[in-house]
Each structure stands twice: as structure tokens, then as C-alpha cells.
Amino acid sequence: KKVLFSGIQPSGVFTIGNYFGAIKNWVSLQDQYRCFFSIVDLHAITVPQSPQELRKNSRNSLALLLAAGIDPKMSTLYYQSHVSAHSELAWILNCYTNMGELSRMTQFKDKSQKQGENIRAGLYNYPVLMAADILLFQTNLVPVGQDQKQHLELTRDIAHRFNNHFSPTFVIPEPYIPSTGARVMSLQEPEKKMSKSDENKNAFVCMTDDTDSIIKKFKRAVTDSGSEVRYDSLNKSGISNLMEIYSSATGDSYDEIERRFNGQGYGNFKQAVGEVIADTLKPIQKEYGKLIDDKGYIEEIIKESTEIARKVSYKTLAKVKKKVGLVLPI
Ligand code: TYM
């Protein structure tokens, strides 16, 4: 089987952007690939985190991924910080990555602007750790949202360069970006990506939000002054985003949605999007409710999958250490 790797930061409760952009595809691809899914806690600390919150979010994240349909019998689901090969390979790759390449990363430029003068070196090196995550597992496919595309290109560049400089070492990974849901926008500022760390709680819908708050958030969603449900991402970014969300959940095309809501105005459509999303999330939430208290089951999964992830990743790490000339341990 070909290998699939992806990661998610436990920096808050996952949003429907995370779900449609990534998690949903992880679930649907997991029987065709040998899958590794990592809760990337080391990436989360590249920006300020409260230790208690981070620990809580990390624990809940695992249960939520299982509830969403990640099957621990098929996929290896683990915490990045439990497998030290991630940090080790990241350091080595840092020594084969140019500062110019990292300075061009748009996510770094965006995030560092928010950090003021004290930009953490970890934020700058973030994409190298991500490259290490992916390359450790000889990954063929990386299902991500649109915002990770540039990081994936850098990963490919780093891998190519390393392979050419030494000898073939890493598989060159391909991105998998869904045609709808790859960039779910904020409900309050539709020009901005929906993010779990947004200060405005009305801007995003969490996978654990209850039906009432989901519907309220969609009803409050910012739209243009028109009244026609029509897809036009340039001039009607708010309504187009809601249509994309609706389409991601139902599989309906924009044409079908336009026909169904023809002449009904925004109010009805917003209500319908809210209901569809609440229905999509309900079974996941029910399962989450059961799993969150089953500490024994979760611990068992972590133990087994961490062991697998360590074993597989150390093979690549050992190869890399040898190629760059480090003395091998006895
Ligand atoms: P993170 O934690 O920000 O997001 C996890 C996944 O969700 C996608 N995503 C979205 N998709 C659509 N619309 C949105 N509004 C939206 N917000 C987030 C992201 O594209 C991502 O696929 N750097 C990664 C984590 C990572 C990783 C990796 C991913 C670390 N190592 C190796 C793949 C492979 C990140 O910050 O994701």
C-alpha cells in the first residue's frame, strides 16, 4: 500500500474548515492507503499556548478524530511529541534548508505579523518540522487544505535537494487538496480563512458546537447586501462561502443549490446551511461523547500506535543520519 501522512494542530477545537479541508478526506482515504495521522503538538507551541489548554485540547483532539471516523485498526494515530524522530529529522533538515526559502512562506509572514517583535524561531522553522513529519514516513500522499500547499511544495524541494545531494532517500510526496472545502472562510470576515484560533467565536463553527449555536452562527454570518443565492466568490464572498460549506456537506453542486434556493432570500438559505451542518456533525458528536470518557481505550490506542510510528520513522531517520555522515549509534 502507498503511504498517506497528515497532521493537525491541537491548538483549539477543530472547525468545520479542518473537517471539510482535511479530516473528512483522511477518513475516506484510509482504506486505500497505509495511513499515519499525527496530532502535531510541537507545531502548536510555535505560537503562545496555555499549557493546561494545550494538554486538554491535545487529549480531546484524539477522541474527536476517532469520533470523526479515523479507525485505529487501519490507521496509526499518535502525538508528534511522542516520536522523537520528528524533532531529530527536523534539526537535520534545518541544516539543508535555506533561510530565503523559509522567509517566502506566506503563513509565516501572516502569523509573524500577529506576534509583534518577538517572533519565535520555531515559527520560522515550522515548515521544516512539517517536512520532517511527512518525509519520515516515505509518504506518497498528503491530504491537506489549500493553506498548506506552499508548505508541501517546500517539503518536495527539500526532499529533492537531499536526494540529489546524497542519493535517493525520500519519497517525493504529492498533495491531495479537495475540490470543495479546501478553503472554508470565516463566517464574519469571508475574505479570511476560518481558523480555530480566531478571537471572534462567531467566525468559526467547531465540530463540537451544539445545533442551536451552529444555526445561530450561520444566521449571523456576514453576507453582501443582495438577496440572491448565487455563487460568485469575487463579488459575493460571504454567500459563496456558505454555498461551498453546504456543498461540502451534501455533495450538491452550486447549480443545484442555486435552483433549490431560487427566490428564497438569504435567511432561509442560512437556516438550511446551519441545519445541514448540525446534521453532519451530530453522529460525530454522539461518538465523541462516548469516547471522551473511555480513557482506557484511548490509552491503548496511543500505546500501540506510538510504537508503530516510532518503528517506521526511525528507519528513515537512521538512513538520513548515515547519509549526512553522523556516527551511527552502537
Ligand atoms: P492545521 O492544524 O492548521 O489544520 C489542519 C488541517 O485542516 C486544514 N484547514 C482548513 N481546510 C479548509 N478550510 C479551512 N479554513 C482550514 N483550516 C485548516 C489545513 O489545511 C490542514 O490540512 N501545518 C499543518 C499541520 C501539519 C501537517 C503536517 C499537515 C503539521 N505537519 C504534515 C500535513 C502534513 C497545520 O497547521 O494544520
Side-chain angles (χ1 to χ4, degrees):
K1 268 189 184 176
K2 292 202 163 177
V3 177
L4 182 154
F5 182 94
S6 202
I8 190 160
Q9 296 188 66
S11 47
V13 179
F14 302 154
T15 69
I16 55 168
N18 296 130
Y19 183 67
F20 292 121
I23 300 168
K24 192 180 174 192
N25 306 313
W26 300 1
V27 172
S28 64
L29 291 164
Q30 72 182 329
D31 56 350
Q32 296 163 53
Y33 289 83
R34 170 84 186 89
C35 293
F36 296 88
F37 299 116
S38 188
I39 295 172
V40 292
D41 44 6
L42 296 173
H43 275 109
I45 58 169
T46 56
V47 296
Q49 299 284 347
S50 131
Q52 293 85 346
E53 283 287 305
L54 178 62
R55 194 168 294 119
K56 191 184 82 194
N57 286 330
S58 300
R59 291 199 170 123
N60 294 349
S61 293
L62 199 111
L64 194 49
L65 289 176
L66 292 170
I70 301 298
D71 181 349
K73 288 195 195 76
M74 283 197 267
S75 301
T76 303
L77 176 62
Y78 68 99
Y79 293 108
Q80 184 187 35
S81 66
H82 287 183
V83 178
S84 61
H86 288 270
S87 305
E88 293 189 55
L89 183 62
W91 178 259
I92 296 174
L93 294 182
N94 259 317
C95 301
Y96 297 89
T97 304
N98 305 320
M99 290 181 63
E101 294 179 297
L102 296 178
S103 307
R104 281 196 289 277
M105 295 293 115
T106 55
Q107 194 151 73
F108 170 71
K109 289 190 217 167
D110 291 347
K111 285 194 184 176
S112 57
Q113 257 174 12
K114 290 184 203 138
Q115 306 300 314
E117 302 215 325
N118 297 315
I119 300 163
R120 299 175 184 208
L123 189 62
Y124 188 67
N125 290 309
Y126 179 116
V128 184
L129 178 58
M130 179 162 162
D133 299 342
I134 296 167
L135 299 178
L136 269 179
F137 293 91
Q138 305 294 347
T139 302
N140 302 99
L141 196 71
V142 186
V144 283
Q146 182 67 37
D147 62 331
Q148 297 303 317
K149 191 164 182 259
Q150 196 188 26
H151 288 159
L152 215 76
E153 276 158 14
L154 177 69
T155 302
R156 289 166 57 91
D157 290 345
I158 294 174
H160 268 303
R161 189 177 321 129
F162 194 98
N163 286 352
N164 288 338
H165 189 80
F166 298 100
S167 57
T169 309
F170 298 122
V171 168
I172 309 294
E174 298 284 340
Y176 175 99
I177 297 171
S179 51
T180 47
R183 191 168 167 80
V184 174
M185 308 308 272
S186 154
L187 298 185
Q188 291 299 313
E189 296 166 82
E191 289 75 35
K192 221 173 86 179
K193 187 187 72 166
M194 180 181 285
S195 161
K196 49 181 154 357
S197 41
D198 202 311
E199 276 156 31
N200 184 347
K201 301 279 177 249
N202 283 320
F204 59 92
V205 173
C206 290
M207 288 176 69
T208 53
D209 281 350
D210 60 50
T211 300
D212 275 359
S213 40
I214 293 174
I215 290 177
K216 262 192 212 131
K217 284 179 183 179
F218 278 108
K219 285 206 148 158
R220 288 194 194 122
V222 169
T223 43
D224 57 281
S225 56
S227 64
E228 215 184 331
V229 178
R230 184 167 49 79
Y231 192 87
D232 176 352
S233 55
L234 218 58
N235 301 306
K236 290 160 80 77
S237 55
I239 211 72
S240 300
N241 183 40
L242 297 185
M243 288 176 74
E244 177 149 3
I245 293 171
Y246 189 96
S247 168
S248 301
T250 59
D252 295 345
S253 70
Y254 297 144
D255 275 353
E256 284 170 309
I257 300 170
E258 284 172 8
R259 251 180 278 130
R260 186 162 324 136
F261 292 94
N262 184 24
Q264 289 196 38
Y266 289 168
N268 277 343
F269 178 58
K270 285 181 176 177
Q271 172 82 25
V273 184
E275 283 170 7
V276 154
I277 293 302
D279 284 348
T280 304
L281 295 177
K282 232 174 254 163
I284 298 176
Q285 294 174 352
K286 200 169 155 214
E287 193 59 27
Y288 178 66
K290 282 192 234 158
L291 285 166
I292 200 73
D293 295 322
D294 198 343
K295 293 221 165 62
Y297 176 65
I298 292 206
E299 267 167 30
E300 212 176 287
I301 291 170
I302 296 176
K303 226 173 126 194
E304 277 177 26
S305 52
T306 306
E307 222 164 278
I308 296 170
R310 281 185 185 146
K311 222 182 192 165
V312 176
S313 60
Y314 278 123
K315 273 194 201 149
T316 301
L317 183 64
K319 245 205 265 182
V320 169
K321 284 182 172 174
K322 196 169 161 194
K323 295 215 182 177
V324 303
L326 303 179
V327 177
L328 294 179
I330 302 156

